[in-house]
Amino acid sequence: MTGSGPGLPLRAPAHRVDPAARWLWSAEGLVVTLVAVAVAVVLGLVLPDDAPRWVDVLLDVLRGLLVPLALVAVLIEPLWRYRVHRWEVTEDAVYTLEGWLTRTWRIVPISRIQTVDTTRGPLQQLLGLTSIRVRTASHAGSTSIEQLRAPLAAAVAHDLGLRANQVRDEAT
């Protein structure tokens, strides 16, 4: 099986994301869980006492799903994603593997890279993490290397930018 270019095999990348990513993903799962709890509480307060029986049943089902949702979002998903998410930059390409229910492998040849961006959201900043977005002319050819320690992400982004620029200079 080959990737985007000749001679680029589709394979599992070598490096895991930073272990702090598990805390980030758990915090994000906690936010989703708290929103679901808030919705259940507000619905319980807003709905009239004489609401149809099916509304009460639906609200009970929602409340019953909150604990399993919390377990999946806060505990299971972050651990599973940490086992799956990987990245690697080789001489020729950027390899990424991501997902937890559906896995996505991507190969971006260095010669196709147009821009390299770094992103640090508020929770990432608290945990010292950064994500790198590698963009090509085609949206479908872009990829992300997520949740790296900030110094490593800066070095990888800088290196990718230099190498992409060097390949472009050789092509002209």
Side-chain angles (χ1 to χ4, degrees), residues 15-54:
H15 309 292
R16 284 185 188 227
V17 298
D18 192 87
R22 294 175 292 195
W23 291 107
L24 175 72
W25 293 326
S26 288
E28 291 171 346
L30 183 60
V31 168
V32 168
T33 302
L34 291 175
V35 167
V37 167
V39 167
V41 168
V42 168
L43 285 177
L45 294 173
V46 170
L47 291 175
D49 291 336
D50 60 347
R53 174 78 179 124
W54 67 268

mmCIF file of all heavy atoms in Angstrom, residues 15-54:
data_model
loop_
_atom_site.group_PDB
_atom_site.id
_atom_site.type_symbol
_atom_site.label_atom_id
_atom_site.label_comp_id
_atom_site.label_asym_id
_atom_site.label_seq_id
_atom_site.Cartn_x
_atom_site.Cartn_y
_atom_site.Cartn_z
ATOM 1 N N HIS A 15 6.629 8.028 16.438
ATOM 2 C CA HIS A 15 6.582 8.775 17.693
ATOM 3 C C HIS A 15 5.159 8.938 18.218
ATOM 4 O O HIS A 15 4.246 9.245 17.460
ATOM 5 C CB HIS A 15 7.188 10.171 17.520
ATOM 6 C CG HIS A 15 8.534 10.154 16.894
ATOM 7 N ND1 HIS A 15 9.648 9.636 17.513
ATOM 8 C CD2 HIS A 15 8.953 10.575 15.676
ATOM 9 C CE1 HIS A 15 10.691 9.748 16.724
ATOM 10 N NE2 HIS A 15 10.287 10.307 15.592
ATOM 11 N N ARG A 16 5.008 8.797 19.538
ATOM 12 C CA ARG A 16 3.730 9.088 20.182
ATOM 13 C C ARG A 16 3.636 10.581 20.467
ATOM 14 O O ARG A 16 4.638 11.267 20.528
ATOM 15 C CB ARG A 16 3.620 8.360 21.516
ATOM 16 C CG ARG A 16 3.345 6.912 21.381
ATOM 17 C CD ARG A 16 3.125 6.306 22.753
ATOM 18 N NE ARG A 16 3.052 4.863 22.580
ATOM 19 C CZ ARG A 16 2.130 4.118 23.127
ATOM 20 N NH1 ARG A 16 1.234 4.650 23.908
ATOM 21 N NH2 ARG A 16 2.108 2.835 22.920
ATOM 22 N N VAL A 17 2.421 11.040 20.696
ATOM 23 C CA VAL A 17 2.239 12.411 21.154
ATOM 24 C C VAL A 17 2.721 12.483 22.599
ATOM 25 O O VAL A 17 3.013 11.471 23.224
ATOM 26 C CB VAL A 17 0.758 12.848 21.039
ATOM 27 C CG1 VAL A 17 0.309 12.810 19.592
ATOM 28 C CG2 VAL A 17 -0.153 11.993 21.900
ATOM 29 N N ASP A 18 2.799 13.680 23.140
ATOM 30 C CA ASP A 18 3.267 13.854 24.514
ATOM 31 C C ASP A 18 2.262 13.228 25.492
ATOM 32 O O ASP A 18 1.053 13.333 25.284
ATOM 33 C CB ASP A 18 3.425 15.343 24.819
ATOM 34 C CG ASP A 18 4.174 15.567 26.109
ATOM 35 O OD1 ASP A 18 5.411 15.604 26.054
ATOM 36 O OD2 ASP A 18 3.517 15.688 27.167
ATOM 37 N N PRO A 19 2.740 12.591 26.563
ATOM 38 C CA PRO A 19 1.822 11.991 27.539
ATOM 39 C C PRO A 19 0.827 12.979 28.154
ATOM 40 O O PRO A 19 -0.263 12.586 28.569
ATOM 41 C CB PRO A 19 2.756 11.428 28.618
ATOM 42 C CG PRO A 19 4.056 11.197 27.920
ATOM 43 C CD PRO A 19 4.147 12.275 26.867
ATOM 44 N N ALA A 20 1.172 14.260 28.197
ATOM 45 C CA ALA A 20 0.242 15.267 28.736
ATOM 46 C C ALA A 20 -1.014 15.386 27.880
ATOM 47 O O ALA A 20 -2.027 15.930 28.340
ATOM 48 C CB ALA A 20 0.940 16.620 28.849
ATOM 49 N N ALA A 21 -0.979 14.858 26.662
ATOM 50 C CA ALA A 21 -2.165 14.890 25.799
ATOM 51 C C ALA A 21 -3.327 14.154 26.459
ATOM 52 O O ALA A 21 -4.484 14.536 26.276
ATOM 53 C CB ALA A 21 -1.852 14.267 24.439
ATOM 54 N N ARG A 22 -3.021 13.123 27.241
ATOM 55 C CA ARG A 22 -4.095 12.390 27.932
ATOM 56 C C ARG A 22 -4.862 13.325 28.871
ATOM 57 O O ARG A 22 -6.080 13.241 28.976
ATOM 58 C CB ARG A 22 -3.517 11.208 28.705
ATOM 59 C CG ARG A 22 -2.929 10.139 27.778
ATOM 60 C CD ARG A 22 -2.278 9.050 28.552
ATOM 61 N NE ARG A 22 -1.078 9.588 29.213
ATOM 62 C CZ ARG A 22 -0.125 8.848 29.741
ATOM 63 N NH1 ARG A 22 -0.218 7.532 29.714
ATOM 64 N NH2 ARG A 22 0.918 9.398 30.302
ATOM 65 N N TRP A 23 -4.135 14.213 29.554
ATOM 66 C CA TRP A 23 -4.788 15.166 30.457
ATOM 67 C C TRP A 23 -5.620 16.175 29.670
ATOM 68 O O TRP A 23 -6.717 16.546 30.087
ATOM 69 C CB TRP A 23 -3.752 15.895 31.318
ATOM 70 C CG TRP A 23 -3.119 14.973 32.308
ATOM 71 C CD1 TRP A 23 -1.843 14.465 32.257
ATOM 72 C CD2 TRP A 23 -3.723 14.427 33.480
ATOM 73 N NE1 TRP A 23 -1.627 13.645 33.333
ATOM 74 C CE2 TRP A 23 -2.764 13.608 34.102
ATOM 75 C CE3 TRP A 23 -4.977 14.565 34.061
ATOM 76 C CZ2 TRP A 23 -3.024 12.922 35.277
ATOM 77 C CZ3 TRP A 23 -5.237 13.874 35.240
ATOM 78 C CH2 TRP A 23 -4.265 13.073 35.829
ATOM 79 N N LEU A 24 -5.089 16.620 28.539
ATOM 80 C CA LEU A 24 -5.830 17.559 27.695
ATOM 81 C C LEU A 24 -7.130 16.933 27.212
ATOM 82 O O LEU A 24 -8.205 17.529 27.322
ATOM 83 C CB LEU A 24 -4.977 17.994 26.501
ATOM 84 C CG LEU A 24 -5.693 18.886 25.485
ATOM 85 C CD1 LEU A 24 -5.909 20.279 26.049
ATOM 86 C CD2 LEU A 24 -4.911 18.947 24.194
ATOM 87 N N TRP A 25 -7.047 15.722 26.674
ATOM 88 C CA TRP A 25 -8.236 15.048 26.162
ATOM 89 C C TRP A 25 -9.219 14.732 27.282
ATOM 90 O O TRP A 25 -10.429 14.784 27.081
ATOM 91 C CB TRP A 25 -7.847 13.808 25.381
ATOM 92 C CG TRP A 25 -7.112 14.119 24.109
ATOM 93 C CD1 TRP A 25 -7.298 15.189 23.287
ATOM 94 C CD2 TRP A 25 -6.056 13.363 23.520
ATOM 95 N NE1 TRP A 25 -6.442 15.134 22.222
ATOM 96 C CE2 TRP A 25 -5.659 14.031 22.326
ATOM 97 C CE3 TRP A 25 -5.397 12.195 23.865
ATOM 98 C CZ2 TRP A 25 -4.653 13.554 21.505
ATOM 99 C CZ3 TRP A 25 -4.393 11.715 23.038
ATOM 100 C CH2 TRP A 25 -4.025 12.393 21.867
ATOM 101 N N SER A 26 -8.723 14.413 28.485
ATOM 102 C CA SER A 26 -9.618 14.186 29.637
ATOM 103 C C SER A 26 -10.337 15.475 30.017
ATOM 104 O O SER A 26 -11.538 15.464 30.306
ATOM 105 C CB SER A 26 -8.829 13.667 30.841
ATOM 106 O OG SER A 26 -8.426 12.339 30.640
ATOM 107 N N ALA A 27 -9.606 16.587 30.014
ATOM 108 C CA ALA A 27 -10.221 17.880 30.337
ATOM 109 C C ALA A 27 -11.282 18.234 29.303
ATOM 110 O O ALA A 27 -12.371 18.721 29.658
ATOM 111 C CB ALA A 27 -9.153 18.967 30.413
ATOM 112 N N GLU A 28 -10.993 17.999 28.025
ATOM 113 C CA GLU A 28 -11.986 18.266 26.979
ATOM 114 C C GLU A 28 -13.213 17.367 27.161
ATOM 115 O O GLU A 28 -14.351 17.813 26.986
ATOM 116 C CB GLU A 28 -11.369 18.069 25.602
ATOM 117 C CG GLU A 28 -10.340 19.116 25.244
ATOM 118 C CD GLU A 28 -9.565 18.824 23.970
ATOM 119 O OE1 GLU A 28 -9.609 17.679 23.461
ATOM 120 O OE2 GLU A 28 -8.904 19.756 23.474
ATOM 121 N N GLY A 29 -12.990 16.101 27.524
ATOM 122 C CA GLY A 29 -14.102 15.185 27.794
ATOM 123 C C GLY A 29 -14.920 15.620 28.991
ATOM 124 O O GLY A 29 -16.147 15.487 29.015
ATOM 125 N N LEU A 30 -14.243 16.172 29.997
ATOM 126 C CA LEU A 30 -14.946 16.680 31.180
ATOM 127 C C LEU A 30 -15.831 17.867 30.812
ATOM 128 O O LEU A 30 -16.965 17.972 31.294
ATOM 129 C CB LEU A 30 -13.933 17.071 32.255
ATOM 130 C CG LEU A 30 -14.516 17.552 33.581
ATOM 131 C CD1 LEU A 30 -15.377 16.475 34.222
ATOM 132 C CD2 LEU A 30 -13.394 17.979 34.519
ATOM 133 N N VAL A 31 -15.344 18.734 29.942
ATOM 134 C CA VAL A 31 -16.147 19.878 29.494
ATOM 135 C C VAL A 31 -17.402 19.381 28.778
ATOM 136 O O VAL A 31 -18.512 19.872 29.036
ATOM 137 C CB VAL A 31 -15.322 20.817 28.581
ATOM 138 C CG1 VAL A 31 -16.203 21.836 27.885
ATOM 139 C CG2 VAL A 31 -14.229 21.502 29.385
ATOM 140 N N VAL A 32 -17.262 18.404 27.896
ATOM 141 C CA VAL A 32 -18.425 17.842 27.189
ATOM 142 C C VAL A 32 -19.404 17.236 28.189
ATOM 143 O O VAL A 32 -20.624 17.439 28.097
ATOM 144 C CB VAL A 32 -17.979 16.780 26.157
ATOM 145 C CG1 VAL A 32 -19.158 15.990 25.624
ATOM 146 C CG2 VAL A 32 -17.214 17.434 25.023
ATOM 147 N N THR A 33 -18.883 16.531 29.178
ATOM 148 C CA THR A 33 -19.736 15.919 30.191
ATOM 149 C C THR A 33 -20.473 16.973 31.011
ATOM 150 O O THR A 33 -21.669 16.840 31.280
ATOM 151 C CB THR A 33 -18.894 15.020 31.121
ATOM 152 O OG1 THR A 33 -18.245 14.019 30.330
ATOM 153 C CG2 THR A 33 -19.753 14.351 32.173
ATOM 154 N N LEU A 34 -19.768 18.028 31.398
ATOM 155 C CA LEU A 34 -20.412 19.097 32.181
ATOM 156 C C LEU A 34 -21.503 19.797 31.385
ATOM 157 O O LEU A 34 -22.547 20.168 31.947
ATOM 158 C CB LEU A 34 -19.359 20.094 32.668
ATOM 159 C CG LEU A 34 -18.394 19.569 33.729
ATOM 160 C CD1 LEU A 34 -17.325 20.605 34.047
ATOM 161 C CD2 LEU A 34 -19.134 19.117 34.974
ATOM 162 N N VAL A 35 -21.288 19.964 30.083
ATOM 163 C CA VAL A 35 -22.323 20.560 29.232
ATOM 164 C C VAL A 35 -23.548 19.643 29.197
ATOM 165 O O VAL A 35 -24.690 20.110 29.317
ATOM 166 C CB VAL A 35 -21.787 20.838 27.809
ATOM 167 C CG1 VAL A 35 -22.915 21.156 26.839
ATOM 168 C CG2 VAL A 35 -20.768 21.964 27.847
ATOM 169 N N ALA A 36 -23.324 18.345 29.077
ATOM 170 C CA ALA A 36 -24.446 17.396 29.056
ATOM 171 C C ALA A 36 -25.199 17.413 30.390
ATOM 172 O O ALA A 36 -26.437 17.361 30.419
ATOM 173 C CB ALA A 36 -23.945 15.992 28.740
ATOM 174 N N VAL A 37 -24.469 17.495 31.502
ATOM 175 C CA VAL A 37 -25.113 17.583 32.820
ATOM 176 C C VAL A 37 -25.919 18.871 32.922
ATOM 177 O O VAL A 37 -27.058 18.866 33.401
ATOM 178 C CB VAL A 37 -24.054 17.498 33.951
ATOM 179 C CG1 VAL A 37 -24.650 17.896 35.291
ATOM 180 C CG2 VAL A 37 -23.465 16.092 34.017
ATOM 181 N N ALA A 38 -25.359 19.981 32.457
ATOM 182 C CA ALA A 38 -26.069 21.266 32.503
ATOM 183 C C ALA A 38 -27.355 21.199 31.682
ATOM 184 O O ALA A 38 -28.403 21.700 32.121
ATOM 185 C CB ALA A 38 -25.164 22.387 31.999
ATOM 186 N N VAL A 39 -27.298 20.583 30.507
ATOM 187 C CA VAL A 39 -28.497 20.442 29.671
ATOM 188 C C VAL A 39 -29.554 19.622 30.405
ATOM 189 O O VAL A 39 -30.738 19.989 30.435
ATOM 190 C CB VAL A 39 -28.144 19.802 28.308
ATOM 191 C CG1 VAL A 39 -29.388 19.359 27.563
ATOM 192 C CG2 VAL A 39 -27.337 20.775 27.465
ATOM 193 N N ALA A 40 -29.139 18.512 31.034
ATOM 194 C CA ALA A 40 -30.090 17.670 31.761
ATOM 195 C C ALA A 40 -30.714 18.424 32.932
ATOM 196 O O ALA A 40 -31.926 18.331 33.167
ATOM 197 C CB ALA A 40 -29.393 16.399 32.253
ATOM 198 N N VAL A 41 -29.903 19.190 33.652
ATOM 199 C CA VAL A 41 -30.420 19.953 34.796
ATOM 200 C C VAL A 41 -31.385 21.034 34.326
ATOM 201 O O VAL A 41 -32.481 21.192 34.883
ATOM 202 C CB VAL A 41 -29.249 20.559 35.614
ATOM 203 C CG1 VAL A 41 -29.756 21.589 36.608
ATOM 204 C CG2 VAL A 41 -28.479 19.460 36.327
ATOM 205 N N VAL A 42 -30.998 21.779 33.297
ATOM 206 C CA VAL A 42 -31.862 22.849 32.792
ATOM 207 C C VAL A 42 -33.175 22.279 32.270
ATOM 208 O O VAL A 42 -34.253 22.822 32.552
ATOM 209 C CB VAL A 42 -31.134 23.680 31.704
ATOM 210 C CG1 VAL A 42 -32.093 24.587 30.966
ATOM 211 C CG2 VAL A 42 -30.010 24.479 32.331
ATOM 212 N N LEU A 43 -33.104 21.183 31.534
ATOM 213 C CA LEU A 43 -34.349 20.569 31.041
ATOM 214 C C LEU A 43 -35.236 20.124 32.192
ATOM 215 O O LEU A 43 -36.458 20.276 32.141
ATOM 216 C CB LEU A 43 -34.025 19.383 30.128
ATOM 217 C CG LEU A 43 -33.525 19.723 28.735
ATOM 218 C CD1 LEU A 43 -33.169 18.455 27.969
ATOM 219 C CD2 LEU A 43 -34.553 20.534 27.968
ATOM 220 N N GLY A 44 -34.631 19.579 33.240
ATOM 221 C CA GLY A 44 -35.405 19.158 34.411
ATOM 222 C C GLY A 44 -36.085 20.322 35.105
ATOM 223 O O GLY A 44 -37.187 20.181 35.645
ATOM 224 N N LEU A 45 -35.434 21.474 35.095
ATOM 225 C CA LEU A 45 -36.008 22.657 35.739
ATOM 226 C C LEU A 45 -37.036 23.378 34.866
ATOM 227 O O LEU A 45 -38.013 23.937 35.370
ATOM 228 C CB LEU A 45 -34.888 23.640 36.118
ATOM 229 C CG LEU A 45 -33.903 23.166 37.185
ATOM 230 C CD1 LEU A 45 -32.757 24.160 37.322
ATOM 231 C CD2 LEU A 45 -34.618 22.961 38.517
ATOM 232 N N VAL A 46 -36.805 23.370 33.565
ATOM 233 C CA VAL A 46 -37.640 24.139 32.640
ATOM 234 C C VAL A 46 -38.918 23.400 32.254
ATOM 235 O O VAL A 46 -39.970 24.022 32.089
ATOM 236 C CB VAL A 46 -36.825 24.504 31.371
ATOM 237 C CG1 VAL A 46 -37.710 25.086 30.297
ATOM 238 C CG2 VAL A 46 -35.719 25.467 31.733
ATOM 239 N N LEU A 47 -38.835 22.101 32.120
ATOM 240 C CA LEU A 47 -40.011 21.346 31.661
ATOM 241 C C LEU A 47 -41.118 21.393 32.712
ATOM 242 O O LEU A 47 -40.857 21.238 33.913
ATOM 243 C CB LEU A 47 -39.621 19.894 31.371
ATOM 244 C CG LEU A 47 -38.707 19.705 30.161
ATOM 245 C CD1 LEU A 47 -38.276 18.257 30.034
ATOM 246 C CD2 LEU A 47 -39.403 20.161 28.890
ATOM 247 N N PRO A 48 -42.339 21.584 32.278
ATOM 248 C CA PRO A 48 -43.455 21.651 33.236
ATOM 249 C C PRO A 48 -43.728 20.282 33.855
ATOM 250 O O PRO A 48 -43.402 19.243 33.283
ATOM 251 C CB PRO A 48 -44.636 22.107 32.368
ATOM 252 C CG PRO A 48 -44.258 21.740 30.975
ATOM 253 C CD PRO A 48 -42.763 21.784 30.910
ATOM 254 N N ASP A 49 -44.338 20.296 35.034
ATOM 255 C CA ASP A 49 -44.645 19.045 35.739
ATOM 256 C C ASP A 49 -45.652 18.186 34.977
ATOM 257 O O ASP A 49 -45.661 16.967 35.117
ATOM 258 C CB ASP A 49 -45.195 19.346 37.140
ATOM 259 C CG ASP A 49 -44.122 19.937 38.040
ATOM 260 O OD1 ASP A 49 -42.932 19.695 37.762
ATOM 261 O OD2 ASP A 49 -44.478 20.630 39.016
ATOM 262 N N ASP A 50 -46.495 18.814 34.179
ATOM 263 C CA ASP A 50 -47.510 18.063 33.440
ATOM 264 C C ASP A 50 -47.055 17.730 32.015
ATOM 265 O O ASP A 50 -47.877 17.501 31.133
ATOM 266 C CB ASP A 50 -48.829 18.832 33.413
ATOM 267 C CG ASP A 50 -48.702 20.204 32.734
ATOM 268 O OD1 ASP A 50 -47.546 20.653 32.519
ATOM 269 O OD2 ASP A 50 -49.746 20.802 32.422
ATOM 270 N N ALA A 51 -45.725 17.663 31.801
ATOM 271 C CA ALA A 51 -45.190 17.303 30.480
ATOM 272 C C ALA A 51 -45.592 15.865 30.150
ATOM 273 O O ALA A 51 -45.821 15.050 31.057
ATOM 274 C CB ALA A 51 -43.669 17.439 30.480
ATOM 275 N N PRO A 52 -45.700 15.543 28.876
ATOM 276 C CA PRO A 52 -46.069 14.170 28.490
ATOM 277 C C PRO A 52 -45.081 13.146 29.067
ATOM 278 O O PRO A 52 -43.918 13.443 29.324
ATOM 279 C CB PRO A 52 -45.983 14.189 26.963
ATOM 280 C CG PRO A 52 -46.034 15.627 26.580
ATOM 281 C CD PRO A 52 -45.492 16.402 27.724
ATOM 282 N N ARG A 53 -45.558 11.953 29.251
ATOM 283 C CA ARG A 53 -44.762 10.867 29.856
ATOM 284 C C ARG A 53 -43.491 10.608 29.053
ATOM 285 O O ARG A 53 -42.441 10.356 29.619
ATOM 286 C CB ARG A 53 -45.619 9.600 29.946
ATOM 287 C CG ARG A 53 -44.884 8.391 30.407
ATOM 288 C CD ARG A 53 -44.688 8.426 31.924
ATOM 289 N NE ARG A 53 -43.975 7.212 32.330
ATOM 290 C CZ ARG A 53 -42.837 7.224 32.998
ATOM 291 N NH1 ARG A 53 -42.294 8.345 33.368
ATOM 292 N NH2 ARG A 53 -42.261 6.105 33.326
ATOM 293 N N TRP A 54 -43.568 10.682 27.729
ATOM 294 C CA TRP A 54 -42.399 10.387 26.901
ATOM 295 C C TRP A 54 -41.270 11.377 27.159
ATOM 296 O O TRP A 54 -40.091 11.045 27.023
ATOM 297 C CB TRP A 54 -42.761 10.314 25.416
ATOM 298 C CG TRP A 54 -43.183 11.620 24.807
ATOM 299 C CD1 TRP A 54 -44.442 12.104 24.698
ATOM 300 C CD2 TRP A 54 -42.337 12.622 24.250
ATOM 301 N NE1 TRP A 54 -44.447 13.339 24.106
ATOM 302 C CE2 TRP A 54 -43.154 13.681 23.805
ATOM 303 C CE3 TRP A 54 -40.969 12.731 24.057
ATOM 304 C CZ2 TRP A 54 -42.649 14.829 23.199
ATOM 305 C CZ3 TRP A 54 -40.458 13.864 23.446
ATOM 306 C CH2 TRP A 54 -41.296 14.906 23.032
#
